[in-house]
């Protein structure tokens, strides 16, 4: 290679290349170079140098309108910071960043880090650590972050060699956002933050094994033979179905999926994590499948003879009984970026490990070029009938407020354009079932970990990612208590978030299981006698608009007023404490045995459940 | 059935913990474990064996490949060990 060519390929040197910076300044400079526009974090002794560096960076780089280029958003608890970073990442697709101190600061972020791992959300969590000389001495606020986070995160770095700090940080972002995304923790001893270092502006760690595997996956190409096998099976199919997961959203593959599905007239059902991966209002969209999926989506899975899993992983909330999942599918195809997910739960007839967008684009082009147009009119008519006859419904005649009616009222105004976050429980499932999502990254929920307390901080992070969007947290009375300190964070930063608490006097989802499987013994899940006045709590935290809705007749007017308020607003809704989440595919049950409840028509009487609730 | 995995590992602090932790978190018990240095001081060679079924071994192999410190990993056929 000629010297000239080499020069052309080398990116221009970083303006600070060769400068001497403290470790703390290196941290902030790499964050700036990586495009970080907001940090969520709580300070403390072991991270003080970096906090000081952020302060100086923001002062020196203030925008003309005095706005800080990298504001530091302070939660009530580091768990909140982790979930804010997640909300930011989920809503924007960028890496979320949290910055915390050693010991308790770091351990408070274990839950959001694990949650991000389980849902494949890119985070970089930077923790202060005791000085390298004190490591392992049981020093004040020392915690074994490498051990704890190593078991939870995509990767953890303990930076003991200050000269590798810069390369390590840049590599942390590479790892977080590449392949199957996930959280990366960087543990930085205080003396490393204070070290004087020569900045180079470009270094990365080699991590040869990871990069080689990543390259192989990213460049894996669908050859003609593999495409032919796919379409050979599709042409034989009379009832094909796409089952799309969170991978579609992580990969930015919604447009490619839409084009693929439209090209061949294929219906799509999504997982909880995949909601928004296709426009849920489309005629061939079947909304969510699984344990609390729509009856029509689950029946479609029962009926399909060809199933195409795209960025989905047959997890136990979808394929609780893997052997009985999609029992009539003669051909199952699976695309994922993670080789470990292929054949893990369900062995498939066709597989491709690779990035979703090029794979879907290639399939679309191949099918078009070969004139594939399966005659699916009968199947489409069948699905339309399923949608009509087994539509979502609930107790509309009750005098009590039904949670589904509240969500429908919000949805009528949000029209599938709001960003919705949730806690975990029944309210989460009602939100998943009754909201429309026109686009990806509007639905923020703790899917795999199911972490109560996710909703409020995630909404905060999302509002920073999308300052002009309507952000709504649909929360439960139990879930919101977990991170209720973050109510004050909403008003501190003047975020126009709309917080809804669907109050059913306790842990409704657990009560539902106790009702079904534990002889109505409501052990430790009834909060009806608890004293908290949520409205006054919100007012005390600075919510000017804070109301309680108790009258069914006032739903429409109250919701209209609530959503129209220009600023943070809090609405507690006293809902029917006995409202249940249906449909429900119980633990150990197949989709055919789904219970649809009193208001959704079942296709056949569900078989008696003899399952033990071992999977809750 | 006994399965053996052999890998080249970056010689980083915590790398061995992550390999062992992956197995522990999945409920496996390591029967034998050897770690030796290689000609390259930045790389260690690790060999371990455990009891699991074939599908479990294949899944472990894939999971090991997700560890950042793992350079290469292979599943050794039983015959190779007997030889
Ligand atoms: C941190 C955490 N602890 C416990 C659970 C178990 N859990 C799942 S749903 C639920 C009840 C949630 O109550 P609430 O937030 O009021 O929601 P509801 O089901 O009443 O709508 C519990 C305790 C959990 N998911 N997360
Ligand atoms: Mg509740």
């Amino acid at each position: 290679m000629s010297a000239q060519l080499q020069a052309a390929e080398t990116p221009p040197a970083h303006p600070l290349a060769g400068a001497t910076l403290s470790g703390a300044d290196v941290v902030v400079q790499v964050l700036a170079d990586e495009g970080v526009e907001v940090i969520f974090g709580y300070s403390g002794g072991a991270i003080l140098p970096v906090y000081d560096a952020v302060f100086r960076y923001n002062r020196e780089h203030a925008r003309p309108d005095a706005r800080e280029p990298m504001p530091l958003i302070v939660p009530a608890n580091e768990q909140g910071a982790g979930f804010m970073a997640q909300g930011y990442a989920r809503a924007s697709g960028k890496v979320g960043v949290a910055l915390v101190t050693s010991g308790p600061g770091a351990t408070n972020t274990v839950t959001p880090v694990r949650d991000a791992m389980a849902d494949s959300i890119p985070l970089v969590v930077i923790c202060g650590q005791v000085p390298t000389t004190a490591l392992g001495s049981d020093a004040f606020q020392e915690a074994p972050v490498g051990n704890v986070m190593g078991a939870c995160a995509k990767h953890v770095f303990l930076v003991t060699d200050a000269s590798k700090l810069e390369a390590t940080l840049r590599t942390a972002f590479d790892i977080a956002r590449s392949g199957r995304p996930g959280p990366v923790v960087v543990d930085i001893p205080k003396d490393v933050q204070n070290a004087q270092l020569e900045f180079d502006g470009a270094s990365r760690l080699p991590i040869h094994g990871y990069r080689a595997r990543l390259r192989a996956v990213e460049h894996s190409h669908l050859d003609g033979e593999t495409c032919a096998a796919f379409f050979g099976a599709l042409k034989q199919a009379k009832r094909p179905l796409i089952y799309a997961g969170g991978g579609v959203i992580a990969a930015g593959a919604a447009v490619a999926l839409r084009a693929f599905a439209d090209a061949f007239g294929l219906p799509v059902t999504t997982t909880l994590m995949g909601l928004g991966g296709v426009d849920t209002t489309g005629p061939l969209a079947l909304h969510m499948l699984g344990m609390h999926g729509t009856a029509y989506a689950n029946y479609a899975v029962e009926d399909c003879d060809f199933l195409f899993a795209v960025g989905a992983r047959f997890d136990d909330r979808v394929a609780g009984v893997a052997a009985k999942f999609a029992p009539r599918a003669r051909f199952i195809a699976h695309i994922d970026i993670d080789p470990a997910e292929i054949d893990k739960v369900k062995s498939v007839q066709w597989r491709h490990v690779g990035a979703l967008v090029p794979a879907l684009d290639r399939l679309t082009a191949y099918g078009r070029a070969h004139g594939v147009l399966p005659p699916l009119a009968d199947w489409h008519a069948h699905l339309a009938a399923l949608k009509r006859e087994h539509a979502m419904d609930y107790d509309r005649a009750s005098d009590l407020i039904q949670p589904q009616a509240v969500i429908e009222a919000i949805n009528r105004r949000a029209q599938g354009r709001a960003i919705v976050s949730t806690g975990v429980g029944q309210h989460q499932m009602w939100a998943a079932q009754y909201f429309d999502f026109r686009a990806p990254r509007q639905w923020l929920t703790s899917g795999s970990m199911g972490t109560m307390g996710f909703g409020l901080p995630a909404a905060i992070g999302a509002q920073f990612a999308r300052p002009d969007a309507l952000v709504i947290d649909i929360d439960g009375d139990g879930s919101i208590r977990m991170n209720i300190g973050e109510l004050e964070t909403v008003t501190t930063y003047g975020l126009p978030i709309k917080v809804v608490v669907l109050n059913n006097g306790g842990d409704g989802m657990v009560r539902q299981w106790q009702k079904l499987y534990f002889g109505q013994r409501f052990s430790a899940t009834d909060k009806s006698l608890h004293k908290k006045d949520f409205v006054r709590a919100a007012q005390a935290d600075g919510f000017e608009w804070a109301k309680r809705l108790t009258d069914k007749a006032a739903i429409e007017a109250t919701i209209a007023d609530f959503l129209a308020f220009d600023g943070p607003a809090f609405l507690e809704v006293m809902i029917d404490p006995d409202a249940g989440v249906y449909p429900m595919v119980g633990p150990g049950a197949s989709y055919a045995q789904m219970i649809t409840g009193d208001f959704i028509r079942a296709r056949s009487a569900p078989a008696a459940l003899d399952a033990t609730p071992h999977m809750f | 059935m006994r399965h053996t995995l052999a890998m080249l590992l970056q010689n980083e602090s915590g790398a061995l913990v992550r390999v062992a932790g992956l197995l522990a978190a999945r409920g496996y018990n390591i029967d034998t474990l050897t770690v030796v240095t290689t000609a390259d001081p930045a790389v260690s060679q690790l060999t371990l064996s455990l009891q699991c079924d074939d599908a479990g071994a294949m899944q472990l192999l894939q999971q090991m490949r997700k560890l950042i410190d793992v350079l290469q990993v292979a599943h050794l056929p039983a015959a190779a060990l007997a030889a």
Side-chain angles (χ1 to χ4, degrees), chain A residues 165-243:
Chain A
L165 175 64
E166 183 183 344
T168 302
L169 284 161
R170 227 172 255 118
T171 304
F173 279 86
D174 289 348
I175 295 173
R177 62 165 79 95
S178 59
R180 182 172 177 174
V184 179
V185 179
V186 188
D187 199 21
I188 312 180
K190 196 170 181 181
D191 54 324
V192 173
Q193 299 170 40
N194 286 326
Q196 292 300 302
L197 304 168
E198 187 183 324
F199 192 72
D200 65 67
S203 58
R204 302 183 129 77
L205 299 177
I207 50 166
H208 294 297
Y210 180 81
R211 290 195 200 275
R213 290 187 290 269
L214 184 64
R215 232 174 292 122
V217 167
E218 283 176 344
H219 294 153
S220 81
H221 177 73
L222 267 175
D223 58 30
E225 203 180 317
T226 313
C227 291
F230 181 92
F231 284 103
L234 182 62
K235 276 194 236 163
Q236 309 247 305
K238 294 195 167 56
R239 298 181 302 277
L241 178 66
I242 297 173
Y243 145 52

Side-chain angles (χ1 to χ4, degrees), chain A residues 57 69 91 98 127 184 253 313 350 400 484 536-537 606:
Chain A
Y57 182 88
C127 313
V184 179
R313 61 186 180 93
W350 185 98
L400 300 173
I484 198 148
R536 279 168 63 197

Side-chain angles (χ1 to χ4, degrees), chain A residues 592-616:
Chain A
Q593 296 167 302
M594 166 171 63
I595 322 168
T596 54
D598 296 333
F599 304 95
I600 301 168
R601 203 178 312 152
R603 192 148 69 170
S604 57
L609 279 178
D610 54 355
T612 43
H614 62 289
M615 285 303 287
F616 190 45

